[in-house]
């Protein structure tokens, strides 16, 4: 499989805090890769840096053979990479449909087909298309955030804590949808605190601890490792 | 009754002018999270542009106004690029002080170019008056109300229906999320300054027609009032700026007519204080609870 995303030695600082140190990893086309680790380990910072919300002082991020480090943040979605951010960050005062239209901002030709696909995946959103997003339930908001990210027809979709704050049934649903998206050709980079669920659907995993990647491997193997079981799976 | 109608109409007239200016304050605050205290002086620039176009170049008034709109839109974009854009990451106090600096710069440039003496605003001298329920109403007042109503409807359609308008709403809610969608914050801010300044230029024509004389400091008082109107309505909210402007104009004219001319400003600001005590987000400002 060919390499879709290569993160090479990035460092991000918030003022004097060194948020991620020398982070390097890669995601191959068609994979589900998960980044697991405790709160504050630097997982979200890593995703935000790839998506262009933060800039690294060093190294490079190469997506689909093209370096992203010189590209302004708002143009990155154009390259086929979209992020479902932590806390969803949907536009609460806009309607469901408007949120989805914003998702297709960089790719307006895809708006109609994108809407159909998203409404197909999330029938609830279709029912509520003209409702203001702030009135949706937490689960529906997560679906909207994912649907919005799909509107740009990404090659790689990054999800930051999609299960946060959701009921167990909804978590299962969300993970099922992620698996589905992957089966239909979208590469996935998933950040999760719910390590067990993430390792279940992932092909490979990286473990972050105190702003570094400390371990990597096949998801199935990591799941069996004593160290991981103790630290992240509570067994 | 006649006095009441006349006061009502003149309140709406003044309120329309405040509303047009307040929109600029509110939109810029909503998108760029800054208070552009140079906004009032854009009115002054619009008015002088009209005077130059009509008196010196001899263009027809309507062309003079359009020219003012273009000059102000370009000036708004230029000010944003040169003065505010480099401060995008700076503390808001630095930006505020810069805005006040720009305001003085514009006033003093006008002082150098046009001198300290007042100039008569020439437009609309030939517009007829109307009788409404026994009250004599200037044609220009009717024109002000009609144009303002059209602008408000147009602006609402623009914000709610067009792609750029929706992008502006997205940026005002969450810049980072908007960038993730591929929306350029910088471009959106540029558009916002252009629209806000263009609206101030239109307000300047109505202001000139109502108050006739223009000075380099002409923009400060309507600027402050319109800022008050924007806060009153809920800063960042477009319908709020419209409502705030109209309500403020009405309060001011009714206070002048029925209470005291001297006290009218005190009453206006008194009402503002009361509204903010009761509803700190302003009349239309909203706080939506985020679900976790």
């Amino acid at each position: 499989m060919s390499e879709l995303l290569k993160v090479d030695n990035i460092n991000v600082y918030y003022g004097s805090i060194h948020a991620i140190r020398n982070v390097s990893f890669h995601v191959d086309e068609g994979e589900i890769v998960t980044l697991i680790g405790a709160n504050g380990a630097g997982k979200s910072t890593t995703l935000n840096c790839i998506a262009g919300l933060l800039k690294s002082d060093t190294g490079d991020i190469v997506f689909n053979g093209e370096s992203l480090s010189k590209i302004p943040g708002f143009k990155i979605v154009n390259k086929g990479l979209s992020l479902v951010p932590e806390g969803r960050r949907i536009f609460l005062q806009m309607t469901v449909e408007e949120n989805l239209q914003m998702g297709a901002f960089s790719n307006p030709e895809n708006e109609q087909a994108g809407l159909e696909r998203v409404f197909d995946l999330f029938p609830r959103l279709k029912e509520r298309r003209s409702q203001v997003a702030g009135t949706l339930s937490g689960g529906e908001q997560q679906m909207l955030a994912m649907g919005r990210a799909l509107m740009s027809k990404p090659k790689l979709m990054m999800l930051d804590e999609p299960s946060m704050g959701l009921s167990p049934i909804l978590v299962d649903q969300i993970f099922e949808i992620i698996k589905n998206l992957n089966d239909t050709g979208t590469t996935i980079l998933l950040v999760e605190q719910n390590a067990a669920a993430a390792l279940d659907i992932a092909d490979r995993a990286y473990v972050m601890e105190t702003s570094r990647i400390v371990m990597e491997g096949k998801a199935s193997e990591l799941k069996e490792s004593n160290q991981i079981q103790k630290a992240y799976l509570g067994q | 009754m006649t006095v009441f109608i006349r006061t009502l109409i003149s309140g709406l007239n003044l309120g329309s002018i405040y509303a047009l200016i307040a929109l600029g304050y509110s939109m810029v605050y909503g998108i760029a999270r800054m208070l552009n205290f140079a906004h009032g002086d854009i009115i002054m620039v619009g008015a002088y542009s009209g005077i130059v176009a009509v008196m010196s170049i001899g263009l027809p008034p309507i062309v003079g106004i359009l020219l003012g709109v273009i000059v102000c839109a370009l000036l708004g974009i230029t000010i944003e690029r040169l003065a505010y854009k480099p401060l995008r990451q700076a503390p808001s106090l630095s930006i505020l002080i810069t805005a006040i600096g720009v305001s003085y710069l514009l006033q003093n440039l006008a002082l150098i170019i046009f001198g300290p003496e007042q100039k008569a605003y020439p437009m609309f001298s030939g517009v007829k008056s109307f009788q409404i329920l026994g009250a004599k109403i200037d044609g220009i007042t009717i024109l002000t109300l009609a144009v303002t109503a059209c602008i408000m409807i147009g602006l609402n359609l623009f914000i709610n229906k067009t792609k750029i308008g929706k992008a502006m709403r997205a940026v005002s809610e969450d810049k980072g999320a908007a960038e993730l969608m591929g929306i350029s914050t910088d471009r959106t801010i540029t558009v916002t300054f252009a629209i806000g300044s263009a609206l101030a230029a239109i307000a300047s024509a109505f202001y000139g027609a109502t108050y006739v004389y223009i000075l380099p400091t002409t923009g400060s008082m309507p600027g402050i009032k319109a800022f008050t109107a924007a806060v009153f309505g809920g800063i960042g909210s477009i319908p709020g700026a419209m409502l705030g402007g109209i309500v403020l104009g009405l309060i001011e004219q009714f206070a002048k007519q029925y209470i005291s001319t001297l006290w009218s400003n005190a009453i206006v600001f008194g009402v503002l204080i009361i509204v903010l005590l009761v509803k700190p987000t302003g009349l239309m400002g909203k706080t939506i609870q985020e679900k976790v």
Side-chain angles (χ1 to χ4, degrees):
Chain A
M1 269 184 284
S2 67
E3 203 171 67
L4 185 59
L5 174 75
K6 183 175 177 56
V7 175
D8 183 20
N9 191 35
I10 57 172
N11 282 277
V12 174
Y13 298 82
Y14 297 124
S16 61
I17 297 165
H18 201 161
I20 55 174
R21 290 168 202 263
N22 311 326
V23 166
S24 300
F25 65 97
H26 71 277
V27 179
D28 289 337
E29 209 162 335
E31 275 190 310
I32 299 182
V33 172
T34 182
L35 210 55
I36 59 175
N39 221 345
K43 310 184 297 293
S44 296
T45 304
T46 306
L47 288 199
N48 287 341
C49 186
I50 299 169
L53 291 177
L54 298 166
K55 287 287 172 202
S56 167
D57 295 346
T58 60
D60 200 5
I61 297 167
V62 180
F63 180 71
N64 216 5
E66 192 179 351
S67 166
L68 299 182
S69 49
K70 296 279 185 292
I71 297 177
F74 73 94
K75 284 191 176 153
I76 284 179
V77 63
N78 257 332
K79 307 290 175 194
L81 196 158
S82 71
L83 169 67
V84 183
E86 186 176 16
R88 300 159 202 143
R89 294 174 73 170
I90 55 173
F91 303 114
L92 295 169
Q93 297 180 34
M94 300 172 85
T95 66
V96 168
E97 191 164 350
E98 284 171 338
N99 267 278
L100 295 174
Q101 287 169 346
M102 290 296 103
F105 189 87
S106 62
N107 188 6
E109 318 80 62
N110 187 46
E111 189 175 308
Q112 219 34 55
L115 277 177
E116 275 165 34
R117 182 172 176 219
V118 170
F119 286 152
D120 217 34
L121 270 171
F122 306 104
R124 284 294 276 281
L125 295 182
K126 189 173 188 177
E127 285 166 32
R128 297 174 187 261
R129 64 195 291 175
S130 46
Q131 205 170 315
V132 174
T135 63
L136 298 180
S137 73
E140 289 162 347
Q141 292 192 0
Q142 185 59 48
M143 291 176 192
L144 180 56
M146 289 171 66
R148 188 180 66 173
L150 284 171
M151 292 294 289
S152 63
K153 239 180 158 179
K155 288 190 189 70
L156 171 68
M157 181 150 140
M158 304 188 286
L159 297 109
D160 196 346
E161 306 277 7
S163 75
M164 191 163 63
L166 300 185
S167 72
I169 296 172
L170 274 171
V171 172
D172 288 350
Q173 263 183 37
I174 296 283
F175 275 91
E176 191 138 321
I177 288 163
I178 295 172
K179 190 92 187 71
N180 252 322
L181 288 174
N182 181 246
D183 289 340
T184 52
T186 312
T187 307
I188 305 280
L189 174 57
L190 173 67
V191 156
E192 260 297 339
Q193 281 194 59
N194 185 345
L199 290 172
D200 272 341
I201 64 163
D203 299 303
R204 288 188 305 117
Y206 293 88
V207 181
M208 281 191 91
E209 224 167 70
T210 54
S211 51
R212 286 188 180 82
I213 289 183
V214 292
M215 216 190 283
E216 62 172 287
K218 280 194 173 154
S220 52
E221 284 166 14
L222 282 177
K223 211 175 170 188
E224 300 306 317
S225 113
N226 277 334
Q227 209 182 335
I228 296 292
Q229 288 197 346
K230 259 194 208 124
Y232 302 108
L233 303 176
Q235 284 164 14
Chain B
M1 189 60 187
T2 313
V3 174
F4 179 83
I5 302 265
R6 205 175 56 217
T7 312
L8 181 71
I9 303 272
S10 73
L12 288 175
N13 181 39
L14 186 63
S16 300
I17 294 170
Y18 289 159
L20 288 173
I21 308 166
L23 282 168
Y25 273 112
S26 217
M27 287 169 77
V28 164
Y29 181 82
I31 306 265
R33 295 288 147 187
M34 65 163 290
L35 296 172
N36 178 20
F37 274 120
H39 188 60
D41 300 290
I42 302 279
I43 307 162
M44 174 272 293
V45 174
Y48 276 116
S49 307
I51 291 175
V52 169
V54 176
M55 305 299 269
S56 311
I57 311 179
L59 295 168
I62 183 74
V63 181
I65 294 171
L66 288 178
L67 196 74
V69 168
I70 294 167
V71 167
C72 287
L74 292 177
L75 180 67
I77 295 172
T78 311
I79 290 172
E80 197 279 321
R81 278 284 154 81
L82 297 182
Y84 304 147
K85 196 177 172 191
L87 298 173
R88 207 54 56 77
Q89 308 302 330
S92 52
L93 191 60
S94 318
I95 304 173
L96 190 70
I97 292 168
T98 307
I100 294 170
V102 172
S103 166
Y104 279 112
L105 178 71
L106 292 176
Q107 288 182 18
N108 285 290
L109 281 177
L111 193 64
I112 293 168
I113 299 171
F114 299 104
E117 64 281 353
Q118 54 186 21
K119 296 222 184 309
Y121 194 79
M123 331 265 160
F124 310 123
S125 42
V127 184
K128 285 200 197 75
S129 312
F130 295 85
Q131 291 283 126
I132 295 180
L133 296 172
K136 182 168 163 273
I137 308 298
D138 273 351
I140 182 64
T141 305
I142 308 288
L143 192 67
T144 305
L145 299 183
V147 171
T148 306
C150 290
I151 286 174
M152 289 182 177
I153 294 166
L155 193 64
N156 258 319
L157 289 176
F158 174 77
I159 290 292
N160 289 311
K161 301 289 175 212
T162 67
K163 199 177 164 192
I164 309 173
K166 287 177 190 174
M168 286 169 69
R169 284 160 61 209
V171 170
S172 90
E173 255 198 73
D174 188 333
K175 276 193 194 56
E179 294 243 323
L180 288 178
M181 305 296 112
I183 299 166
S184 160
T185 313
D186 283 339
R187 205 172 303 155
T188 312
I189 291 176
T190 303
V191 172
T192 309
F193 269 85
I195 294 175
S197 306
L199 294 177
I202 294 170
S204 81
F206 298 139
Y207 187 86
T210 309
Y211 292 93
V212 185
Y213 291 105
I214 301 300
L215 284 166
T217 51
T218 284
S220 342
M221 205 51 193
I224 291 283
K225 291 276 181 61
F227 170 66
T228 310
V231 174
F232 193 62
I235 194 147
S237 154
I238 287 176
M242 295 174 180
L243 181 70
I246 301 283
V247 172
L248 204 76
L250 285 172
I251 295 174
E252 183 172 332
Q253 292 305 69
F254 274 97
K256 269 187 191 150
Q257 182 64 45
Y258 290 105
I259 304 173
S260 146
T261 313
L262 286 176
W263 280 87
S264 68
N265 281 347
I267 292 165
V268 165
F269 292 113
V271 172
L272 171 78
I273 291 170
I274 292 166
V275 167
L276 291 185
L277 283 175
V278 178
K279 197 166 182 299
T281 50
L283 294 174
M284 311 270 290
K286 46 186 162 181
T287 37
I288 287 189
Q289 206 75 47
E290 201 163 335
K291 290 207 175 71
V292 184

